[in-house]
Amino acid sequence: LEKYLPKEVLQKKKLVRNWSKYNQAQVQEKLLFFKLLHDVTESIREPQISTHGRPSENKYDIVKALCVVIFSKLSSRRSIGELQMVKALGYINRVPHFNTLTNYLRNESITPILHQIYLEFAKPLREIETDFSVDSTGMSQFNLRRWLDVKFDRKKLRDFRKLHIICGVETNIITYAIITDSYKADCPQFEELLRKTAENFRVKNISGDSAYLSKLNCRLAVEYGAHPFF
Protein backbone atom coordinates (compact mmCIF):
# COMPACT_ATOMS: atom_id res chain seq x y z
CA LEU A 1 0.00 0.00 0.00
CA GLU A 2 2.90 2.38 0.68
CA LYS A 3 3.66 2.97 -3.01
CA TYR A 4 0.17 4.41 -3.50
CA LEU A 5 0.27 6.76 -0.52
CA PRO A 6 1.72 10.30 -0.57
CA LYS A 7 4.86 10.76 1.52
CA GLU A 8 3.19 13.18 3.92
CA VAL A 9 0.61 10.51 4.78
CA LEU A 10 3.29 7.97 5.60
CA GLN A 11 5.20 10.31 7.90
CA LYS A 12 4.07 9.70 11.46
CA LYS A 13 3.34 12.87 13.39
CA LYS A 14 4.34 12.92 17.03
CA LEU A 15 1.72 14.80 19.01
CA VAL A 16 3.25 16.95 21.73
CA ARG A 17 0.51 18.13 24.06
CA ASN A 18 0.82 21.38 25.93
CA TRP A 19 -0.61 20.18 29.23
CA SER A 20 -0.94 23.65 30.69
CA LYS A 21 -3.16 24.86 27.85
CA TYR A 22 -4.98 21.53 27.69
CA ASN A 23 -5.88 21.69 31.39
CA GLN A 24 -6.96 25.31 31.07
CA ALA A 25 -9.19 24.49 28.09
CA GLN A 26 -10.77 21.53 29.89
CA VAL A 27 -11.47 23.53 33.04
CA GLN A 28 -13.03 26.40 31.08
CA GLU A 29 -14.69 24.29 28.37
CA LYS A 30 -18.29 25.22 29.17
CA LEU A 31 -17.63 28.96 29.48
CA LEU A 32 -15.51 28.91 26.33
CA PHE A 33 -18.31 27.16 24.46
CA PHE A 34 -20.87 29.75 25.60
CA LYS A 35 -18.57 32.59 24.49
CA LEU A 36 -17.71 31.04 21.12
CA LEU A 37 -21.35 30.18 20.42
CA HIS A 38 -22.37 33.75 21.21
CA ASP A 39 -19.63 35.32 19.06
CA VAL A 40 -20.28 33.06 16.06
CA THR A 41 -24.06 33.49 16.22
CA GLU A 42 -23.79 37.27 16.50
CA SER A 43 -21.44 37.36 13.51
CA ILE A 44 -24.15 35.86 11.26
CA ARG A 45 -27.17 37.56 12.88
CA GLU A 46 -29.53 39.32 10.47
CA PRO A 47 -32.24 41.84 11.42
CA GLN A 48 -35.49 40.13 12.33
CA ILE A 49 -38.55 41.44 10.52
CA SER A 50 -41.25 42.59 12.93
CA THR A 51 -44.80 41.35 12.37
CA HIS A 52 -48.23 42.25 13.69
CA GLY A 53 -49.64 40.41 16.67
CA ARG A 54 -47.73 38.59 19.37
CA PRO A 55 -43.95 39.16 19.10
CA SER A 56 -42.13 36.09 17.84
CA GLU A 57 -39.11 34.59 19.56
CA ASN A 58 -35.70 35.75 18.42
CA LYS A 59 -34.50 32.83 16.29
CA TYR A 60 -30.83 33.49 16.95
CA ASP A 61 -31.34 33.38 20.71
CA ILE A 62 -33.42 30.23 20.27
CA VAL A 63 -30.59 28.62 18.31
CA LYS A 64 -28.12 29.54 21.05
CA ALA A 65 -30.45 28.01 23.63
CA LEU A 66 -30.88 24.80 21.63
CA CYS A 67 -27.10 24.47 21.20
CA VAL A 68 -26.67 24.85 24.96
CA VAL A 69 -29.31 22.16 25.58
CA ILE A 70 -27.53 19.72 23.26
CA PHE A 71 -24.10 20.60 24.67
CA SER A 72 -25.27 20.04 28.25
CA LYS A 73 -26.76 16.62 27.33
CA LEU A 74 -29.80 17.42 29.47
CA SER A 75 -33.50 17.54 28.71
CA SER A 76 -35.05 20.88 27.78
CA ARG A 77 -36.55 21.13 31.29
CA ARG A 78 -33.32 20.37 33.13
CA SER A 79 -31.37 22.74 30.86
CA ILE A 80 -33.21 25.82 32.10
CA GLY A 81 -30.59 26.32 34.82
CA GLU A 82 -27.86 26.28 32.17
CA LEU A 83 -29.79 28.84 30.12
CA GLN A 84 -30.21 31.09 33.15
CA MET A 85 -26.42 31.07 33.45
CA VAL A 86 -26.10 31.97 29.75
CA LYS A 87 -28.58 34.84 30.25
CA ALA A 88 -26.63 36.10 33.28
CA LEU A 89 -23.53 36.24 31.07
CA GLY A 90 -25.44 38.44 28.63
CA TYR A 91 -25.46 35.96 25.76
CA ILE A 92 -29.27 35.70 25.43
CA ASN A 93 -31.97 38.23 26.28
CA ARG A 94 -34.44 35.84 27.90
CA VAL A 95 -34.75 32.19 28.86
CA PRO A 96 -37.40 30.54 26.67
CA HIS A 97 -39.94 28.08 28.04
CA PHE A 98 -38.84 24.47 27.66
CA ASN A 99 -41.88 23.75 25.46
CA THR A 100 -40.80 26.56 23.16
CA LEU A 101 -37.42 24.89 22.75
CA THR A 102 -39.03 21.56 21.94
CA ASN A 103 -41.31 23.18 19.36
CA TYR A 104 -38.40 24.93 17.64
CA LEU A 105 -36.62 21.61 17.21
CA ARG A 106 -39.32 20.89 14.62
CA ASN A 107 -39.09 24.34 13.01
CA GLU A 108 -37.29 24.21 9.67
CA SER A 109 -36.68 27.97 9.68
CA ILE A 110 -33.73 27.55 12.07
CA THR A 111 -32.00 24.97 9.86
CA PRO A 112 -30.10 27.55 7.74
CA ILE A 113 -28.85 29.25 10.91
CA LEU A 114 -27.56 25.96 12.30
CA HIS A 115 -25.75 25.29 9.01
CA GLN A 116 -24.07 28.69 9.19
CA ILE A 117 -22.98 28.19 12.79
CA TYR A 118 -21.09 24.93 12.38
CA LEU A 119 -19.48 26.20 9.16
CA GLU A 120 -18.22 29.30 10.97
CA PHE A 121 -16.93 27.14 13.83
CA ALA A 122 -14.90 25.11 11.33
CA LYS A 123 -13.32 27.92 9.30
CA PRO A 124 -10.56 28.91 11.79
CA LEU A 125 -9.11 25.40 11.40
CA ARG A 126 -8.68 25.63 7.64
CA GLU A 127 -4.89 25.84 8.02
CA ILE A 128 -4.83 22.64 10.08
CA GLU A 129 -7.27 20.31 8.34
CA THR A 130 -6.37 18.83 4.96
CA ASP A 131 -7.52 15.22 5.46
CA PHE A 132 -11.25 14.46 5.55
CA SER A 133 -13.60 11.53 5.98
CA VAL A 134 -17.25 10.98 4.99
CA ASP A 135 -19.92 8.87 6.64
CA SER A 136 -23.60 8.78 7.59
CA THR A 137 -25.86 7.63 10.40
CA GLY A 138 -29.57 7.41 11.14
CA MET A 139 -31.40 9.57 13.67
CA SER A 140 -34.67 8.63 15.35
CA GLN A 141 -37.48 11.19 15.36
CA PHE A 142 -40.29 9.70 17.39
CA ASN A 143 -39.06 6.63 19.25
CA LEU A 144 -36.13 5.13 21.09
CA ARG A 145 -35.30 2.37 18.62
CA ARG A 146 -31.70 2.27 17.52
CA TRP A 147 -30.63 2.88 13.93
CA LEU A 148 -28.75 -0.43 13.94
CA ASP A 149 -31.97 -2.27 14.75
CA VAL A 150 -34.00 -0.83 11.89
CA LYS A 151 -31.54 0.17 9.14
CA PHE A 152 -32.48 -2.88 7.04
CA ASP A 153 -36.23 -2.73 7.72
CA ARG A 154 -37.82 -0.31 5.23
CA LYS A 155 -41.14 -0.21 7.10
CA LYS A 156 -39.50 1.08 10.28
CA LEU A 157 -37.19 3.52 8.51
CA ARG A 158 -39.94 6.12 8.07
CA ASP A 159 -39.38 7.28 11.68
CA PHE A 160 -35.74 8.06 10.95
CA ARG A 161 -33.73 10.69 9.09
CA LYS A 162 -30.22 10.19 7.78
CA LEU A 163 -27.33 12.52 8.57
CA HIS A 164 -24.46 12.63 6.04
CA ILE A 165 -21.32 14.44 7.16
CA ILE A 166 -17.78 15.19 6.09
CA CYS A 167 -15.36 15.88 8.92
CA GLY A 168 -11.71 16.66 9.49
CA VAL A 169 -9.56 13.71 10.53
CA GLU A 170 -7.24 15.78 12.74
CA THR A 171 -9.81 17.73 14.76
CA ASN A 172 -13.13 15.97 13.96
CA ILE A 173 -14.73 19.27 12.92
CA ILE A 174 -17.75 18.93 10.66
CA THR A 175 -17.23 20.93 7.47
CA TYR A 176 -20.59 20.15 5.87
CA ALA A 177 -23.70 18.10 6.61
CA ILE A 178 -26.76 16.92 4.69
CA ILE A 179 -29.97 15.50 6.14
CA THR A 180 -32.03 13.20 3.92
CA ASP A 181 -34.76 10.59 4.16
CA SER A 182 -33.57 7.38 5.80
CA TYR A 183 -33.47 5.35 2.58
CA LYS A 184 -31.22 7.73 0.63
CA ALA A 185 -27.92 6.13 -0.42
CA ASP A 186 -24.57 7.51 0.76
CA CYS A 187 -22.78 7.54 -2.58
CA PRO A 188 -24.76 10.36 -4.31
CA GLN A 189 -24.21 12.72 -1.34
CA PHE A 190 -20.44 12.67 -1.77
CA GLU A 191 -20.26 15.35 -4.47
CA GLU A 192 -22.03 18.03 -2.42
CA LEU A 193 -20.13 17.16 0.75
CA LEU A 194 -16.79 17.45 -1.05
CA ARG A 195 -17.73 20.56 -3.04
CA LYS A 196 -18.92 22.50 0.00
CA THR A 197 -15.84 21.53 2.00
CA ALA A 198 -13.50 22.53 -0.82
CA GLU A 199 -14.99 26.05 -0.73
CA ASN A 200 -13.29 26.65 2.62
CA PHE A 201 -10.58 23.98 2.91
CA ARG A 202 -7.77 22.49 0.88
CA VAL A 203 -8.60 18.79 0.58
CA LYS A 204 -5.53 16.57 0.19
CA ASN A 205 -6.96 13.19 1.20
CA ILE A 206 -10.51 11.97 1.61
CA SER A 207 -11.62 8.60 2.93
CA GLY A 208 -14.86 6.68 3.34
CA ASP A 209 -16.21 3.15 3.45
CA SER A 210 -17.18 1.12 0.38
CA ALA A 211 -20.59 2.82 0.18
CA TYR A 212 -18.82 5.79 -1.44
CA LEU A 213 -16.73 3.78 -3.89
CA SER A 214 -17.55 4.72 -7.48
CA LYS A 215 -15.63 5.92 -10.53
CA LEU A 216 -17.49 9.23 -10.37
CA ASN A 217 -16.55 9.89 -6.74
CA CYS A 218 -12.92 8.96 -7.34
CA ARG A 219 -12.86 11.30 -10.34
CA LEU A 220 -14.43 14.10 -8.30
CA ALA A 221 -11.84 13.71 -5.56
CA VAL A 222 -9.00 13.94 -8.06
CA GLU A 223 -10.56 17.00 -9.70
CA TYR A 224 -10.44 18.75 -6.32
CA GLY A 225 -6.79 17.75 -5.88
CA ALA A 226 -7.47 15.02 -3.31
CA HIS A 227 -6.41 11.39 -3.00
CA PRO A 228 -9.50 9.16 -2.54
CA PHE A 229 -9.34 6.22 -0.12
CA PHE A 230 -12.57 4.21 -0.13
Side-chain angles (χ1 to χ4, degrees):
L1 182 62
E2 291 184 1
K3 64 180 180 180
Y4 298 106
L5 294 172
K7 291 182 179 180
E8 60 267 21
V9 175
L10 297 174
Q11 295 174 350
K12 294 183 178 180
K13 298 180 181 179
K14 184 178 179 181
L15 179 63
V16 180
R17 174 167 291 170
N18 185 322
W19 285 103
S20 176
K21 291 184 178 180
Y22 175 80
N23 292 335
Q24 186 178 6
Q26 291 285 293
V27 170
Q28 299 180 1
E29 181 182 66
K30 181 176 290 188
L31 294 176
L32 287 172
F33 172 74
F34 292 163
K35 179 67 164 61
L36 288 171
L37 176 64
H38 171 71
D39 290 347
V40 168
T41 306
E42 292 303 312
S43 71
I44 64 172
R45 182 187 287 270
E46 296 180 356
Q48 190 161 331
I49 301 174
S50 59
T51 58
H52 297 292
R54 183 180 178 182
S56 59
E57 295 283 350
N58 187 295
K59 291 182 181 179
Y60 291 90
D61 279 2
I62 288 291
V63 167
K64 290 181 191 178
L66 289 174
C67 290
V68 170
V69 171
I70 299 302
F71 179 81
S72 65
K73 298 180 181 180
L74 299 172
S75 67
S76 56
R77 291 179 177 85
R78 296 175 64 195
S79 298
I80 296 301
E82 299 282 308
L83 295 177
Q84 289 172 342
M85 183 193 309
V86 174
K87 180 179 182 297
L89 292 169
Y91 297 151
I92 59 176
N93 294 320
R94 61 183 296 271
V95 176
H97 192 276
F98 57 82
N99 283 335
T100 300
L101 294 174
T102 304
N103 291 335
Y104 266 95
L105 282 174
R106 304 184 181 94
N107 192 323
E108 294 182 0
S109 66
I110 68 169
T111 302
I113 302 175
L114 291 170
H115 272 294
Q116 286 181 282
I117 286 177
Y118 74 76
L119 291 175
E120 291 299 320
F121 264 115
K123 284 180 181 179
L125 298 171
R126 67 182 72 189
E127 299 300 323
I128 298 175
E129 283 291 5
T130 56
D131 298 346
F132 298 87
S133 184
V134 290
D135 206 352
S136 69
T137 188
M139 299 182 297
S140 172
Q141 297 185 93
F142 309 113
N143 56 62
L144 298 178
R145 287 179 296 188
R146 299 185 309 161
W147 170 252
L148 290 175
D149 296 331
V150 304
K151 64 185 297 185
F152 299 114
D153 188 334
R154 292 187 67 85
K155 292 182 179 179
K156 297 178 181 178
L157 285 179
R158 65 178 180 272
D159 292 342
F160 282 77
R161 289 292 179 266
K162 203 170 185 181
L163 173 66
H164 308 261
I165 68 166
I166 178 169
C167 66
V169 174
E170 192 74 23
T171 64
N172 297 329
I173 56 166
I174 294 177
T175 55
Y176 199 68
I178 303 170
I179 297 177
T180 66
D181 292 330
S182 56
Y183 53 82
K184 292 291 185 179
D186 294 350
C187 193
Q189 316 306 324
F190 178 79
E191 180 176 4
E192 184 176 0
L193 293 171
L194 176 60
R195 176 171 52 82
K196 290 293 186 178
T197 297
E199 291 177 0
N200 298 310
F201 291 83
R202 181 188 176 192
V203 184
K204 289 185 178 180
N205 301 292
I206 187 163
S207 59
D209 59 29
S210 58
Y212 297 92
L213 179 57
S214 71
K215 289 183 179 180
L216 175 60
N217 286 347
C218 290
R219 190 180 302 117
L220 285 168
V222 173
E223 287 176 359
Y224 281 95
H227 296 89
F229 298 97
F230 298 129

